[in-house]
């Protein structure tokens, strides 16, 4: 039987980059139209590292939401060597803060903006473990001796396993997983470990980025991997495990910074995110897991209620727009100009 339409509880996006300023104003409505909540990444030029910054950023996001959209941003602190513990605890207790984010150790040269040695934040991790605040990890290890395609699998060995031995009850979201090793790691873990999966890592493998010319709009971090890994992500969803959920990692960069001799990593998927997921879930015969992946598994892990309203996905031709004007330049949506076979609409 061919499915013509699906109605699901309003989903959430557990991993978005809204940026700031005019980009924020341009991109927020694409998410707020279809998603009830979004976990907003803190990696701004001035990262979200305290309640004052988080509160002001949250306000700028809310101001960018169309008045008819029902949407709440969920704020995240970026962990740093110098994170102030009582700020974090207050933020969580006041309901401003939903999670903490750990970017690859050493990646951030400035210790005010990142963690240079995980042991420096063991006291913080111990408190967030006790309070049940989720730790969101960009699970890659950026080391000179590691091949770029192995950053994620090496991260499991050198960071994740020791971290979980030290803090077994720390709730961890392994963000945007891309490898069979990460999928296996999450499946073999307990209720304290979950993962988000992006549409691009389900739909494509690295051939897409390289064959017929280099395609900067397929360049994101973690990189697209080989077909073996793509298949492992699909198989992980097909187990029905409720610790995999939707996180687009929509990461807009202006066209000049994407189509450049040294282009930025990030796929801007929010304008068509749900259509992308519906397309890939149908293609690989996983539609029976679609609503749980989009709308139930995330709230369950984050201990939040499922959204009340509903979204409809309909099987009808949907041509992705070529570009969106922004900051005297453009944002190029993922799969710009291509035809998708699903469209999303809001049920009023
Ligand atoms: C993200 C960004 O542009 O901020 N880029 C990406 O390719 N995913 C960073 C990130 O999610 O790690
Ligand atoms: Zn990331
Ligand atoms: Zn991201």
């Amino acid at each position: 039987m061919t499915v013509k339409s699906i109605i699901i509880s309003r989903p959430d996006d557990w991993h978005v980059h809204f940026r700031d300023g005019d980009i924020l104003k341009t991109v927020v409505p694409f998410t707020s139209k279809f998603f009830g909540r979004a976990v907003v990444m803190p990696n701004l030029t001035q990262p979200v590292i305290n309640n004052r910054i988080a509160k002001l950023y949250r306000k700028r996001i809310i101001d960018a939401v169309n008045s008819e959209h029902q949407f709440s941003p969920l704020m995240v602190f970026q962990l740093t060597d110098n994170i102030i513990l009582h700020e974090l605890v207050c933020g969580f207790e006041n309901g401003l803060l939903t999670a903490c984010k750990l970017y690859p150790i050493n990646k951030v040269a400035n210790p005010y903006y990142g963690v240079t040695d995980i042991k420096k934040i063991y006291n913080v991790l111990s408190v967030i473990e006790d309070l049940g605040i989720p730790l969101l990890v960009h699970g890659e290890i950026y080391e000179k001796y590691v091949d770029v395609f192995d950053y994620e699998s090496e991260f499991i060995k050198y960071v994740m396993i020791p971290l979980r031995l030290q803090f077994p009850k720390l709730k961890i979201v392994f963000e945007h997983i891309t490898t069979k090793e990460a999928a296996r790691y999450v499946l073999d873990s307990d209720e304290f470990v979950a993962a988000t999966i992006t549409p691009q890592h389900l739909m494509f493998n690295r051939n897409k980025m390289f064959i017929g010319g280099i395609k900067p709009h397929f360049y994101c971090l973690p990189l697209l991997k080989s077909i073996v890994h793509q298949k492992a992500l699909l198989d992980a969803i097909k187990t029905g495990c409720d610790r995999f959920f939707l996180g687009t990692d929509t990461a807009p960069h202006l066209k000049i910074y994407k189509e450049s001799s040294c282009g930025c990593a990030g796929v801007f998927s929010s304008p068509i995110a749900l259509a992308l997921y519906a397309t890939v879930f149908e293609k690989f015969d996983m539609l029976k897991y679609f609503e749980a992946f989009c709308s139930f598994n995330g709230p369950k892990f984050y201990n939040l209620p499922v959204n009340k309203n509903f979204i409809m996905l309909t099987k009808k031709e949907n041509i992705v727009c070529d570009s969106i004007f922004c900051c005297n330049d453009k944002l190029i949506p993922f799969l710009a100009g291509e035809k998708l076979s699903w469209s999303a609409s809001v049920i009023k």
Side-chain angles (χ1 to χ4, degrees), residues 306-318:
V306 171
N307 295 312
K308 294 228 166 56
N309 303 332
F310 296 88
I311 293 292
M312 177 145 83
L313 284 130
T314 312
K315 192 131 192 232
K316 73 166 190 237
E317 191 177 285
N318 179 1

Side-chain angles (χ1 to χ4, degrees), residues 105 115-125 162 166-167:
I105 320 276
V115 175
T116 56
D117 175 354
I118 196 147
K119 294 213 167 66
K120 291 192 179 163
I121 59 157
Y122 267 12
N123 63 326
V124 175
L125 297 178
Q166 192 72 31
F167 303 104

Side-chain angles (χ1 to χ4, degrees), residues 53-340:
I53 299 173
K55 216 183 261 173
L56 292 170
Y57 186 38
R58 185 168 186 278
K59 165 119 186 18
R60 294 196 295 280
I61 296 167
I62 289 171
D63 288 345
V65 174
N66 294 24
S67 54
E68 71 271 24
H69 296 176
Q70 295 172 349
F71 177 76
S72 309
L74 303 178
M75 306 311 289
V76 176
F77 268 19
Q78 182 159 321
L79 291 178
T80 73
D81 286 356
N82 310 308
I83 195 91
I84 302 163
L85 193 51
H86 84 260
E87 278 275 328
L88 205 153
V89 173
C90 284
F92 185 67
E93 285 174 350
N94 297 338
L96 173 67
L97 183 68
T98 296
C100 296
K101 176 81 191 222
L102 180 66
Y103 278 105
I105 320 276
N106 287 334
K107 189 194 163 196
V108 205
N110 181 343
Y112 287 96
Y113 290 171
V115 175
T116 56
D117 175 354
I118 196 147
K119 294 213 167 66
K120 291 192 179 163
I121 59 157
Y122 267 12
N123 63 326
V124 175
L125 297 178
S126 164
V127 172
I128 70 170
E129 178 184 40
D130 290 345
L131 291 175
I133 305 179
L135 177 73
L136 316 182
V137 295
H138 178 119
E140 291 196 299
I141 185 162
Y142 292 158
E143 291 288 353
K144 279 201 262 320
Y145 58 84
V146 179
D147 186 89
V148 287
F149 289 105
D150 300 331
Y151 282 168
E152 189 175 277
S153 50
E154 295 292 294
F155 170 87
I156 298 172
K157 284 191 239 160
Y158 293 107
V159 183
M160 195 67 136
I161 292 173
L163 180 67
R164 296 215 56 237
L165 281 173
Q166 192 72 31
F167 303 104
K169 299 210 155 146
L170 179 59
K171 277 179 114 164
I172 298 180
V173 183
F174 197 157
E175 296 288 351
H176 44 46
I177 60 165
T178 62
T179 57
K180 64 179 179 5
E181 289 82 2
R184 177 51 40 212
Y185 183 80
V186 175
L187 283 167
D188 290 346
S189 300
D190 54 24
E191 73 268 29
F192 293 100
V193 179
T196 52
I197 311 183
T198 76
Q200 65 268 24
H201 292 102
L202 291 172
M203 292 178 96
F204 300 109
N205 55 67
R206 62 198 182 195
N207 283 8
K208 191 76 187 175
M209 188 165 47
F210 298 122
I211 292 179
I214 191 145
K215 313 272 184 347
H217 297 289
F218 289 82
Y219 173 55
C220 60
L221 289 172
L223 292 165
L224 293 177
K225 302 296 191 302
S226 70
I227 192 164
V228 174
H229 296 287
Q230 179 195 0
K231 196 170 168 303
L233 301 181
L234 295 162
D235 287 343
I237 290 177
K238 287 187 200 171
T239 64
C241 172
D242 62 4
R243 288 176 289 108
F244 294 103
F245 42 84
L246 187 158
T248 59
D249 194 16
T250 178
H253 292 279
L254 293 174
K255 183 169 184 267
I256 40 164
Y257 300 120
K258 287 293 294 173
E259 299 178 10
S260 146
S261 60
C262 183
C264 292
V267 161
F268 172 42
S269 60
S270 61
I272 34 120
L274 285 174
L276 293 172
Y277 280 115
T279 302
V280 71
F281 271 65
E282 184 194 34
K283 177 167 178 193
F284 293 102
D285 206 10
M286 325 194 284
L287 280 177
K288 70 171 170 179
Y289 303 113
F290 185 65
E291 186 177 25
F293 179 83
C294 297
S295 315
F296 300 155
N297 298 348
K300 185 169 177 198
F301 189 79
Y302 277 82
N303 266 329
L304 290 168
V306 171
N307 295 312
K308 294 228 166 56
N309 303 332
F310 296 88
I311 293 292
M312 177 145 83
L313 284 130
T314 312
K315 192 131 192 232
K316 73 166 190 237
E317 191 177 285
N318 179 1
I319 298 181
V320 184
C321 80
D322 286 327
S323 64
I324 293 155
F325 179 79
C326 187
C327 304
N328 286 323
D329 190 17
K330 291 169 178 172
L331 293 170
I332 308 294
F334 190 53
L335 302 185
E338 294 193 29
K339 210 189 294 171
L340 300 175

